[in-house]
Amino acid sequence: MKFCVAIDGPAAAGKGTISRAVAAHFGFAHLDTGLLYRAVGMKGGDPAQAASTLCPEDLARPDLRSLAAGEAASRVAVLPDVRAALLTFQRNFAAREGGAVLDGRDIGTVICPGADVKLFVTASAECRAERRWRETGEGSLAEVLEQVRARDARDMGRADAPLCAAEDAITLDTTTLSIDEAVDKALRIVRAQLERG
Ligand code: CDP
C-alpha cells in the first residue's frame, strides 16, 4: 500500500512531533526533510555539491538541531540547485510501500502534490519562538523570536518552492493546543482519509 502524508509549516510549529506520532501510530516511515537542508547547510563548501553528495554520516551529525544549523539550512534552501538535488530522494521516499510521512516546507506543494493527506501546521511566531527557545536552550527569547521571524520571511519570500499552504491542505493551528490535542487532531484527519480508501 502506498499512502503519503505531507506535513508543512513554519519553524517550530510542531510538524516534527506530529509527523513522528502519525508515522508511529499508522506504521508509516517518516522523513524529516528539514534535516536534509540542515545537513547541507552544515557540510560547508559548495551547497549544490554538498546536496548531491549527502550521505548517512552527514545526517547523523549531533549539531543538526542547533539554531545555527536551522539558519544555515534556510540560507542554502533558497538555492534551486540544492532543492533539485534533493528532490528525487524525497519523491522516492514518499512513494515507498507501507506509507510515508514527510515534513518540511514544500511537501504538499512541490514534492508530493498528489499526497493523500496534506496538513499545514502553524502557530503564532511568539509561541513558536518560545518552544524553540526551551527546546534548544540557546540565546535569549528575544533573539530566538527575531530568528524565527527572519527565517519565516526567508522561507516564505524565496522564489523557488516558498513556504505556503497547498490549496487542498488542512490547516492545524497549534498555538493554543497541547501536544496531545494537536497529535489527536492530526491522527483523526489521517484516519478519516485512510477509511475513505
Ligand atoms: O525544525 P524547523 O521547523 O525549525 O526547521 P526544519 O524543518 O528543520 O527546516 C530548516 C530549514 O530548511 C527551513 O527553515 C527551510 O528553509 C528549509 N527547508 C526547506 O526549504 N524545505 C523543506 N522541505 C524543509 C526545510
Side-chain angles (χ1 to χ4, degrees):
M1 181 215 45
K2 288 184 182 175
F3 190 90
C4 175
V5 181
I7 303 188
D8 292 301
K15 301 183 302 290
T17 305
I18 291 173
S19 304
R20 281 190 295 276
V22 168
H25 187 87
F26 295 103
F28 299 159
H30 171 225
L31 179 65
D32 171 0
T33 65
L35 217 53
L36 305 175
Y37 292 90
R38 285 170 181 262
V40 170
M42 294 303 270
K43 197 164 172 175
D46 175 57
Q49 171 77 7
S52 55
T53 57
L54 214 56
C55 59
E57 294 84 77
D58 296 326
L59 297 172
R61 289 175 63 129
D63 56 356
L64 293 185
R65 289 272 153 233
S66 65
L67 293 178
E71 187 68 18
S74 99
R75 289 183 188 280
V76 297
V78 304
L79 304 170
D81 286 351
V82 166
R83 308 200 71 86
L86 300 176
L87 187 84
T88 306
F89 175 74
Q90 295 176 81
R91 286 211 174 131
N92 287 343
F93 191 97
R96 69 203 280 147
E97 281 297 328
V101 181
L102 285 83
D103 75 279
R105 299 292 187 286
D106 61 341
I107 309 304
T109 50
V110 175
I111 305 295
C112 310
D116 298 278
V117 178
K118 296 183 187 179
L119 291 179
F120 190 77
V121 181
T122 188
S124 72
E126 290 76 11
C127 168
R128 291 184 287 119
E130 183 162 350
R131 288 180 191 162
R132 189 46 51 93
W133 179 59
R134 290 188 190 285
E135 182 183 297
T136 60
E138 290 182 67
S140 70
L141 180 54
E143 278 164 2
V144 177
L145 176 59
E146 200 180 306
Q147 276 198 18
V148 159
R149 290 208 166 110
R151 200 132 73 82
D152 284 356
R154 201 179 302 127
D155 289 350
M156 290 188 230
R158 69 184 174 218
D160 193 13
L163 167 65
C164 66
E167 262 178 31
D168 49 351
I170 298 172
T171 296
L172 192 55
D173 188 326
T174 67
T175 308
T176 59
L177 298 180
S178 69
I179 290 177
D180 286 352
E181 287 168 335
V183 166
D184 192 56
K185 281 189 187 244
L187 293 179
R188 279 171 200 273
I189 293 166
V190 175
R191 190 178 302 115
Q193 184 60 29
L194 272 169
E195 283 168 2
R196 227 169 273 146

